[in-house]
Amino acid sequence: MSERKIVFSGIQPSGNLHIGNYLGAIKRWVEMQDQYDCIYCIVDMHAITVPHDPKVLHETTLELAALLIACGIDPERCVLFVQSHVSAHAEMTWIFNCITPLGWLERMTQYKEKAARQESVSTGLLDYPVLQASDILLYQTDLVPVGEDQRQHIELTRDIAGRFNHLFGETFKLPEALISEVGARVMGLDDPTKKMSKSITSRYHAIRLLDDPDTIRTAIRRAVTDSGREIIFSDAPEKAGVNNLLTIYQAFTGKSREEIEAHFAGKGYGDLKREVAEVVIEALRPIQERYRAIRAERGYIDEILRRGAEEARRRSEPTLTQAKHRVGFVLPEELQHHV
Ligand code: AMP
Ligand code: TRP
């Protein structure tokens, strides 16, 4: 158990989880459980760095926990917890804040993009990547599976760890980003030039994991394609819509491109759309059934999250304590055995 590499990743509890999130992130997390010592965190503290509705956050946090388990995240084989349950993350962030130059944070592209969209920007939004660094570094993480957009945050995490180690002595392991290869990138159905996104709420943009079969059929029937008739994988801009449907089909069936192109040879876009819809519906059916069973069982999620938080506290305590000791804090007697 302890020789396995440590994997840490986080996901924000925004609602509207879609098949892009599933194919690009969650499915990979599920697969990694076999090989690695995995720690997965629902990052509710990150979610409040932009204006939010408390009731919605409460509901989407519980929904996400249940969905992750329904998708195959197995609390018996990994640590699954909610960030705000483990106060070490906030404590670690404070210490890192005090060694992170402001300029490092002002340079982050995600910060600049989000800040440009808002009238007033909170200190928390600027500090977002420091909290993320704390998430990762508290567990002596080896690997961080994330999307391409998070590469800069992982680099910053390494910089913060390096700076701390340099100032106060070796304390943190420098993690590596594990960026998913292309192919797992699912595009919007209504506009195949844009990544399928939680924040685009137009009606036929995404397929959400909890969508019912008719909603899925309609969204795929309306998906933008081209005026041609060739059903092939292609990078040509005009084939982006067909390519996206084939990519989704491939991701859910596991068939090869050749097999898929041969299967659709001579068929029309109507056939393609009908078949893709049925494949997606059948793939989501068991996930949705498990989701409903989990939500219906009172106390089940609470108990899973309680155990996850307990384990996360146990695993982060030595590193946090070591860091406190290194910066010169006097440790309370009960923690002195860690140093
Ligand atoms: P987000 O929806 O941006 O919070 O992303 C959550 C996770 O899902 C990240 O690891 C993303 O890389 C992944 N993800 C989001 N959208 C897509 C997409 N359209 N295709 C593939 N992966 C995605
Ligand atoms: N910022 C990440 C995202 O938007 C979520 C996240 C928070 C995360 N803490 C993390 C990802 C730690 C990996 C490791 O996708």
Side-chain angles (χ1 to χ4, degrees), residues 38-303:
C38 294
I39 306 173
Y40 297 129
C41 183
I42 297 175
V43 293
D44 55 348
M45 288 158 69
H46 280 111
I48 65 167
T49 57
V50 292
H52 77 286
D53 178 334
K55 281 206 192 72
V56 172
L57 177 62
H58 187 99
E59 172 57 24
T60 51
T61 300
L62 295 172
E63 179 187 289
L64 179 58
L67 258 179
L68 289 174
I69 296 168
C71 287
I73 299 292
D74 178 1
E76 298 296 325
R77 290 191 296 149
C78 70
V79 182
L80 174 66
F81 74 106
V82 173
Q83 191 181 34
S84 66
H85 293 184
V86 182
S87 56
H89 293 245
E91 295 185 65
M92 194 69 251
T93 298
W94 182 256
I95 295 176
F96 285 150
N97 279 341
C98 298
I99 63 152
T100 303
L102 199 48
W104 288 7
L105 301 181
E106 287 166 340
R107 272 202 294 281
M108 292 293 111
T109 45
Q110 195 160 76
Y111 168 71
K112 288 193 274 186
E113 278 166 22
K114 286 186 185 173
R117 276 188 254 135
Q118 285 164 234
E119 239 171 72
S120 91
V121 172
S122 70
T123 308
L125 186 64
L126 180 66
D127 208 27
Y128 180 115
V130 181
L131 178 59
Q132 183 165 352
S134 302
D135 296 341
I136 296 165
L137 297 174
L138 273 172
Y139 300 91
Q140 303 293 345
T141 299
D142 295 290
L143 298 170
V144 188
V146 281
E148 177 62 41
D149 61 331
Q150 295 298 310
R151 192 188 287 279
Q152 200 185 29
H153 287 166
I154 310 305
E155 280 305 313
L156 183 85
T157 299
R158 293 168 59 91
D159 290 343
I160 292 173
R163 188 167 166 95
F164 188 99
N165 290 348
H166 172 74
L167 290 169
F168 303 114
E170 276 311 304
T171 309
F172 297 100
K173 188 184 272 179
L174 269 56
E176 306 274 348
L178 205 68
I179 310 282
S180 50
E181 32 179 311
V182 284
R185 204 171 138 91
V186 179
M187 310 307 282
L189 297 175
D190 57 345
D191 178 356
T193 64
K194 289 211 184 80
K195 211 175 99 165
M196 189 176 280
S197 159
K198 287 174 193 166
S199 51
I200 300 177
T201 50
S202 51
R203 197 138 167 238
Y204 303 115
H205 169 72
I207 296 170
R208 284 162 308 196
L209 297 185
L210 295 174
D211 279 347
D212 60 58
D214 281 336
T215 307
I216 295 172
R217 283 189 195 102
T218 310
I220 293 183
R221 184 155 22 85
R222 290 177 174 252
V224 168
T225 50
D226 55 281
S227 55
R229 47 188 313 147
E230 261 197 318
I231 303 181
I232 49 164
F233 287 91
S234 163
D235 294 334
E238 71 276 11
K239 300 299 286 183
V242 167
N243 194 67
N244 190 38
L245 291 174
L246 288 172
T247 302
I248 294 169
Y249 185 90
Q250 183 184 23
F252 279 115
T253 59
K255 291 183 183 161
S256 73
R257 290 181 164 211
E258 296 70 33
E259 233 178 308
I260 293 169
E261 288 179 351
H263 174 77
F264 285 112
K267 295 189 182 169
Y269 288 174
D271 303 309
L272 170 67
K273 288 176 168 182
R274 262 189 301 281
E275 290 200 39
V276 172
E278 292 318 307
V279 160
V280 174
I281 289 165
E282 286 317 310
L284 296 187
R285 190 191 304 282
I287 293 175
Q288 296 181 351
E289 280 169 6
R290 282 195 294 273
Y291 173 81
R292 280 185 220 107
I294 291 166
R295 291 301 307 256
E297 192 175 333
R298 267 195 78 197
Y300 178 80
I301 287 291
D302 285 342
E303 174 60 13

